[in-house]
Amino acid sequence: MTTALDLALNAADGALRTLFAKPRASRTCPTVPAQATELSTEEKALSGALMRVNHVGEVCAQALYAAQALGTRDAVLREHFLKASREEGDHLAWTKDRLDELGARPSLLNPLWYAGAFGLGLVASRLGDRLSLGFVVETERQVEAHLASHLEHLPEGDHESRAIVAQMKDDEALHARAAEDAGALQLPAPVKILMRSAAKVMTTVAHRV
């Protein structure tokens, strides 16, 4: 039987692995065969900044799902959150590997981003399971839109980054639909606006730091 201490220890272990261990994907990283990437110095810097933002998003995804899994008392829903977290772990690994390939670094503020997202996840879980799922839906919809904008801004010749972002976008849409199917409630409009504002701050800062 899983105890509260077990769940807390698992959450702490997940945080340490997300922030300090090398992430490993269960799926092969998306690629575009026969299309070589050749980037100028400026294009490489742009791709690095955009992929750093995407990596921060995956750090936050790990925190959100871990907190929501910790906060729910429903064992089935807990497994739903943990499964989504494992799938998002592929994104974490892909974006980190791409950062390394581009010679770019992750955000220096990742511990802060993780802590903030974990706190939001706990708050969401305290509002009830259906609203917690609604939080997932809105988060994933916003991330999906954000990734779509990155596909517009990434250099056309950066086939590797574009393949990763495109697959991530598809996966986020699936996670949103899965949360809806699990019984998510729609969040109030002011909450959605607040989430967009917080995300804007995060992406703006992470682009540089």
Side-chain angles (χ1 to χ4, degrees), residues 91-174:
H91 301 174
L92 185 71
W94 297 342
T95 52
K96 178 57 171 66
D97 288 346
R98 187 60 186 145
L99 282 174
D100 292 341
E101 292 165 358
L102 290 165
R105 57 165 176 74
S107 173
L108 299 175
L109 301 178
N110 274 343
L112 176 63
W113 304 133
Y114 190 98
F118 193 89
L120 287 175
L122 280 181
V123 170
S125 70
R126 292 295 183 264
L127 298 175
D129 288 340
R130 295 188 68 192
L131 277 174
S132 185
L133 286 165
F135 187 79
V136 170
V137 172
E138 182 59 23
T139 298
E140 298 290 21
R141 293 300 186 208
Q142 291 188 19
V143 171
E144 184 184 358
H146 167 78
L147 293 171
S149 74
H150 273 201
L151 286 173
E152 295 178 0
H153 291 94
L154 278 165
E156 286 293 333
D158 190 353
H159 305 297
E160 283 87 347
S161 295
R162 296 178 68 83
I164 291 170
V165 171
Q167 183 60 58
M168 288 168 58
K169 178 177 175 292
D170 290 344
D171 290 347
E172 306 303 356
L174 289 174

Side-chain angles (χ1 to χ4, degrees), residues 8-70:
L9 290 174
N10 286 338
D13 179 68
L16 293 173
R17 289 178 183 276
T18 298
L19 293 171
F20 303 112
K22 178 176 175 57
R24 300 191 180 280
S26 61
R27 291 179 290 169
T28 302
C29 183
T31 58
V32 182
Q35 288 186 293
T37 290
E38 296 182 4
L39 302 174
S40 67
T41 301
E42 292 76 14
E43 289 174 331
K44 196 172 183 180
L46 174 60
S47 288
L50 293 175
M51 293 308 286
R52 176 165 51 250
V53 171
N54 292 330
H55 181 261
V56 167
E58 298 310 321
V59 168
C60 291
Q62 291 299 307
L64 285 168
Y65 281 124
Q68 289 174 291
L70 179 64

